[in-house]
Every structure is written in C-alpha cells, then in structure tokens.
C-alpha cells in the first residue's frame, strides 16, 4: 500500500504540492488527471524518493520513504516507474537495457537475468528486437522497452508518468494496451495520464489534481462521468 | 639531379626524436586524462564547491605553454626538486592536458540527460552504479571527439619541451638543419612524421567512433 499523508513539497519558494492525501491499496489502479504544472510528476518522484518533501509523510508498505535511515535503493526495487521521456540507455541493446538492473542491483547471474529479461520483453511484445539498439526503435517500442525494464525488477508497484504523451498518436495504442494488460494481471498502479477514456476504463479510482492538491477523487463513474466540482468538469471539457 | 647530405643516421636521429614525442604525448595524456576525468566529474557534480578548481585550471589553460615550461623549470631548481627534464615535460604537459580534459569530461557528463539518470536511479541503482554503467559510457561517447582533438594538439605542443632541453622530433630536426643547411627537406620530413603519427591516432579514433555509431 502507498500512503500519502499531507505531503507538502516546494522547489525553493515555489510550493508545488500543498498537502496531498492519497492512498493506493494493493491491487488497485489509481489514475491522476489534471492540468500541466499541477504537480503530478513531482508527486510521483516524491513517492520513490527521487525528490525530497518538506512536510507530511509517504509510506510504501509501511516504510517511511523520506525517513533518514531508509535505504532508497532497496525501496526503489519494489517501485517501477515509467516516464514521459522514454529514457532508453542509448549505449545498450534492448536486451542489455532490461538485464542491467537485475544484474547490478539484484546481483543475479547473466543466465538468470537474461531469462527474466526475455520473459518481460515477450510480455511487451519486443521479442524480435533483443539485439537492437534503442535508436533503431520507434517511440512506442522504446516506451514498451522501458516498461519491460521496470517489470524486470519484479516491482510491487508501477508508476506511470504520462507514458504516452510524447508518442505519435498511432503509437499510443500499443503502449496503453501494455498498461491495460498489467492492470488485468492485478498490478498495483498509479497512472498520471491525459488519456481520459483510458483512465476511465482501467482505473478503480481517479484523482483530479489542481494547484498541488487532490481536488476531487472517486470512482471513474463519478469523477469522469459525473464530476462533483465545477473545476473538474471544466478540465474534462478542455481535454476532450 | 637531387642530392642531399641527409644521412641515414640523421633520419634515425629524427625517428628517435619522434619516439620521444610519442612518449611525451602518451605520458601527458595519461596524466591529463586521469586527472581530467576526476576533476571533470567533480566539476559536473559540484559546480559551486569546485569553482576554485576551475579558476586554477583556467590559469593552466590560458598561460602559454612555453611560459609554463620555463617557469616550472625555474621553480623546480628553486625548491630543489631533482626531476629530469623529461619528467618536467610530462608533468607540465600533463597538467595542461588535464585542464582541457576537465572541461571535455564535464561537458560530456552534463550532456547526459537528467531524465536518464532518474530512470537508472529509479531502478534501484546507486549513485556509483549510475555513474559507472550509465553516465560514464554515455558521456564518453559525447566527449570522445573533443578528447581526440586534445591528443592531436598535445602531440604538437610537445615540440615546446625543446626549450627545457629535451630532444624530441622538432629539436632533432633543427639540429640536423643547423648542420646540413637543408631546412626545407628536413622540415618536410619532420612534418610528414608528425602527420603520420596524427593520422594513426585519428584513424584509431574514427574506428572507435564508427563502432559506437553502429549502436546509435
Ligand atoms: N526540478 C524543478 N525545479 C523547479 N521547479 C520545478 C522542478 N520540477 C518541477 N517544477 C515546477 O513544479 C511545478 C509542477 O511541475 P510538475 O510536477 O512537472 O507538474 P505536472 O507533472 O503536473 O505537469 C511546475 O510549476 C514546475 O515548473
Ligand atoms: Mg508532468
């Protein structure tokens, strides 16, 4: 379970997150929607400790992320994250990209790491690209590779930060299908997305972010189909 | 009919000079690269804390190398260091190369996108693992052409060590010119030797770059 409790986060004088409460239960899929600059990406980076917070607390499986003694490298093994930019390691082949962390972080042997990588690459439909370098892949393929790379660490949670926003429209579908597959398999996920229809289909709950706060949260039938607050309705109208 | 007083022995003398040039270049680049990688990483990781380092290196980058040789040589006698002229040459050239290499490495490291480093840290890699497996390989590809230029320019700059009494290729050539009075021929040969040495370095570098490009 991810428990976000009254979190405040600033960059210098700019307060970006202003007291967010949010929990993601085991097996749950929660989507975050909201305008650009509302603090969605920042929140994801606070969850795996890439960004410090000023107040409040974030616990993952009961572990206080921002406590002094927390071993962040260890904690991050159970939190996979996929970013808007595809972030392929350009000097490594597809297979090496996926094998690197299992080998270096989990300390697995070559054969074992390769077995895991092959399985995850098959999972995202890239079995025919193993020896290819990322620059030879389309954006959609690079993003699916990034998903396989995160999955190879057998995370308990997957966070997606606008995974399809930088993709050409015709490539969005293949990545969404991959995420949908994960949802069906019961992966616990927190998705930041602009794909409203997709969010409605896969989410158990949807949170609308505004000005560094959760402005409205509830099942998709409420937040997307019948928003209770005028700002939510306005935002939905603007992205449709 | 073309005739010359240049003997085989003279040619051998020049080749020995060329060997000294190569040794100086290799030693200076070894020192310069090792120090440059360390300094460059520090500069990229802690831009403010390492400002004084950058000022110091700026001095070595700006003051003409000839002045550095002569000054260091005098300093050496002053403090009573018992170093050979060759050692002095290596050290001065090495520090000079380090000053340039620092900037090359820093540029390469800063060219690695933050988002790439975030991705590797998100997978649970430590700071050092990220540095070793992501930042250094990616930065190396970016920095390599600049580094190769530095090798070629240091190779030519080694000629200045003649001022502290080392006989390298150019000094050897001058000695022969003084004796046989055929500057055109001798300097053409010296130039050709420099050219060939640079060519080999450039070719090796190009081959490496091509191999990397196949990845991209
Ligand atoms: N590293 C940073 N330094 C300073 N300001 C930042 C940084 N990252 C994000 N911000 C600012 O924080 C705000 C929220 O950004 P972000 O979390 O990326 O929003 P979103 O993902 O919802 O579009 C923006 O105003 C952005 O400019
Ligand atoms: Mg964002």
């Amino acid at each position: 379970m991810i428990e976000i409790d009254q979190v405040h986060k600033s960059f210098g004088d700019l307060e970006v997150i202003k007291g967010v409460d949010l929990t993601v239960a085991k097996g749950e899929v929660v989507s975050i929607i909201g305008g650009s600059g509302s603090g969605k990406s920042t929140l994801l980076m606070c969850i795996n400790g890439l960004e410090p917070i000023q107040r409040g607390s974030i616990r993952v499986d009961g572990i206080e992320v921002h406590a002094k003694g927390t071993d962040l490298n260890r904690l991050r093994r159970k939190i996979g994250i996929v970013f808007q930019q595809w972030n392929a390691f350009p000097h490594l082949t597809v297979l090496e990209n996926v094998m690197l962390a299992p080998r270096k972080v989990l300390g697995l042997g070559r054969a074992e790491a390769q077995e895991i990588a092959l399985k995850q690459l098959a999972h995202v439909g890239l079995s025919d690209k193993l020896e290819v370098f990322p620059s030879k892949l389309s954006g959609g393929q690079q993003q699916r590779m990034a998903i396989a790379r995160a999955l190879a660490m057998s995370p308990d949670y997957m966070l997606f930060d606008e995974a399809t926003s930088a993709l050409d429209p015709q490539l969005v579908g293949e990545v969404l299908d991959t995420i949908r597959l994960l949802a069906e398999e019961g992966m616990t996920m927190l998705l930041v997305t602009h794909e409203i229809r997709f969010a409605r289909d896969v989410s158990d709950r949807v949170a609308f972010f505004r000005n560094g706060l959760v402005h409205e949260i509830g099942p998709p039938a409420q937040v997307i189909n019948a928003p209770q607050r005028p700002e939510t309705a306005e935002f939905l109208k603007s992205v449709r | 009919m073309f005739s010359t007083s240049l003997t085989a022995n003279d040619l051998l003398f020049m080749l020995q000079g060329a060997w000294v040039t190569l040794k100086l270049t290799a030693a200076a680049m070894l020192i310069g690269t090792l120090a440059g990688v360390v300094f460059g990483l520090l500069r990229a990781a802690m831009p403010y804390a390492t400002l004084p380092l950058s000022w110091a290196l700026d001095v070595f980058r700006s003051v003409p190398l000839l002045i550095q040789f002569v000054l260091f040589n005098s300093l050496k006698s002053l403090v009573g260091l018992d170093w050979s002229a060759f050692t002095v040459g290596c050290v001065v050239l090495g520090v000079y190369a380090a000053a340039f290499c620092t900037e090359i490495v820093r540029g390469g490291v800063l060219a690695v996108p933050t988002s790439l480093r975030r991705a590797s840290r998100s997978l649970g890699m430590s700071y050092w693992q990220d540095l070793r497996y992501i930042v250094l390989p990616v930065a190396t590809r970016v920095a390599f052409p600049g580094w190769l230029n530095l090798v070629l320019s240091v190779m030519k700059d080694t000629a200045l060590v003649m001022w502290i009494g080392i006989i390298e290729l150019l000094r050897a050539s001058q000695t022969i010119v003084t004796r046989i009075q055929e500057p055109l021929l001798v300097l053409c040969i010296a130039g050709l030797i420099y050219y060939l040495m640079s060519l080999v370095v450039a070719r090796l570098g190009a081959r490496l770059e091509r191999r990397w490009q196949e990845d991209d």
Side-chain angles (χ1 to χ4, degrees):
Chain A
M1 182 145 98
I2 300 175
E3 299 162 280
I4 300 168
D5 186 13
Q6 278 301 305
V7 165
H8 292 251
K9 157 84 192 168
S10 312
F11 292 108
D13 290 337
L14 177 71
E15 191 172 34
V16 173
I17 294 176
K18 304 171 181 168
V20 165
D21 290 311
L22 185 68
T23 59
V24 183
K26 201 92 221 163
E28 200 180 18
V29 177
V30 176
S31 290
I32 299 177
I33 59 174
S36 147
S38 56
K40 308 182 297 297
S41 301
T42 305
L43 182 70
L44 292 198
M45 269 172 329
C46 292
I47 292 174
N48 82 349
L50 278 173
E51 287 286 353
I53 61 175
Q54 272 71 43
R55 268 198 288 149
S57 84
I58 300 178
R59 275 171 314 227
V60 176
D61 293 343
I63 299 166
E64 197 74 54
V65 177
H66 297 272
K68 270 223 166 56
T70 303
D71 182 348
L72 283 177
N73 295 332
R74 178 167 279 279
L75 181 75
R76 285 173 187 149
R77 294 179 193 178
K78 63 163 88 187
I79 308 172
I81 177 161
V82 174
F83 298 91
Q84 183 175 349
Q85 311 88 343
W86 315 315
N87 293 324
F89 303 140
H91 59 299
L92 301 176
T93 63
V94 168
L95 184 60
E96 289 166 344
N97 258 273
V98 180
M99 281 173 64
L100 183 66
R103 290 209 63 193
K104 303 305 173 189
V105 177
L106 300 180
L108 300 184
R110 175 168 282 281
E112 209 176 339
Q114 178 158 340
E115 192 183 325
I116 291 171
L118 290 175
K119 186 176 130 221
Q120 293 305 340
L121 283 166
H123 202 174
V124 301
L126 284 178
S127 294
D128 54 339
K129 302 284 182 197
L130 301 179
E131 300 305 327
V132 172
F133 284 92
S135 57
K136 299 275 194 308
L137 298 180
S138 73
Q141 290 168 332
Q142 292 199 43
Q143 192 59 297
R144 283 187 282 144
M145 183 195 81
I147 295 173
R149 192 170 68 185
L151 290 175
M153 296 297 286
S154 324
D156 296 323
Y157 303 92
M158 283 292 287
L159 316 184
F160 287 85
D161 187 5
E162 296 189 29
T164 58
S165 291
L167 295 176
D168 292 336
Q170 73 272 21
L171 301 177
V172 168
E174 61 188 67
V175 174
L176 292 186
D177 287 344
T178 306
I179 301 174
R180 198 188 307 268
L181 185 64
L182 288 177
E184 284 161 9
E185 291 167 356
M187 175 63 80
T188 308
M189 295 199 282
L190 186 56
L191 308 166
V192 173
T193 184
H194 285 321
E195 303 284 338
I196 303 295
R197 199 176 320 158
F198 178 72
R200 187 182 54 202
D201 292 350
V202 300
S203 313
D204 299 305
R205 285 187 300 149
V206 176
F208 171 58
F209 246 60
R210 189 166 182 276
N211 288 335
L213 283 169
V214 176
H215 199 70
E216 177 166 357
I217 184 164
Q222 174 203 322
V223 177
I224 293 178
N225 294 346
Q228 306 292 299
R229 304 192 63 168
E231 293 83 2
T232 314
E234 205 172 300
F235 170 76
L236 287 168
K237 209 183 295 163
S238 75
V239 294
R240 282 246 164 92
Chain B
M1 209 11 230
F2 179 76
S3 83
T4 173
S5 348
L6 190 76
T7 64
N9 256 340
D10 290 339
L11 265 181
L12 193 66
F13 188 52
M14 285 174 80
L15 286 177
Q16 281 166 348
W19 178 236
V20 174
T21 295
L22 281 179
K23 280 198 296 188
L24 272 169
T25 308
M29 283 314 296
L30 187 70
I31 298 172
T33 305
L34 289 179
V37 167
V38 173
F39 292 163
L41 286 173
L42 286 174
R43 285 288 293 132
M46 301 177 274
Y48 293 108
T50 54
L51 266 182
L53 173 68
S54 134
W55 296 331
L57 294 176
D58 271 346
V59 173
F60 290 103
R61 287 201 300 164
S62 328
V63 175
L65 200 45
L66 180 55
I67 299 180
Q68 294 187 41
F69 276 124
V70 176
L71 281 183
F72 190 87
N73 220 24
S74 328
L75 189 75
K76 181 194 74 171
S77 333
L78 266 178
V79 298
L81 269 180
D82 190 21
W83 286 6
S84 69
F86 184 81
T87 310
V88 172
C90 291
V91 168
V92 173
L93 273 169
V95 171
Y96 182 74
F100 282 93
C101 197
T102 298
E103 286 306 303
I104 293 171
V105 171
R106 174 174 161 268
V109 170
L110 292 182
V112 181
T114 326
S115 61
L116 206 60
R117 305 189 64 170
R118 290 209 145 131
S120 67
R121 297 302 305 275
S122 298
L123 288 166
M125 282 196 236
S126 68
Y127 178 85
W128 295 107
Q129 287 175 325
D130 169 52
L131 201 62
R132 162 76 182 78
Y133 299 111
I134 308 300
V135 177
L136 282 179
V138 176
T140 301
R141 284 158 171 75
V142 176
F144 186 72
W147 182 85
L148 205 60
N149 272 335
L150 183 62
V151 179
L152 298 182
S153 106
V154 165
M155 188 184 284
K156 282 171 289 196
D157 288 338
T158 53
L160 290 165
V161 299
M162 72 164 87
W163 292 96
I164 55 172
I166 301 175
I167 301 177
E168 42 62 69
L169 177 53
L170 189 61
R171 180 80 186 109
S173 312
Q174 281 184 338
T175 312
I176 297 167
V177 169
T178 314
R179 187 167 51 75
I180 68 175
Q181 294 295 319
E182 293 175 42
L184 224 53
L185 175 68
V186 175
L187 290 181
C188 277
I189 294 175
L192 185 69
I193 298 177
Y194 275 115
Y195 173 72
L196 290 176
M197 293 192 300
S198 299
L199 194 68
V200 171
V201 171
R203 277 291 153 83
L204 288 176
R207 187 187 294 182
L208 199 56
E209 277 185 70
R210 210 167 324 118
R211 234 188 37 215
W212 286 336
Q213 251 151 36
E214 279 163 20
D215 309 354
D216 300 334

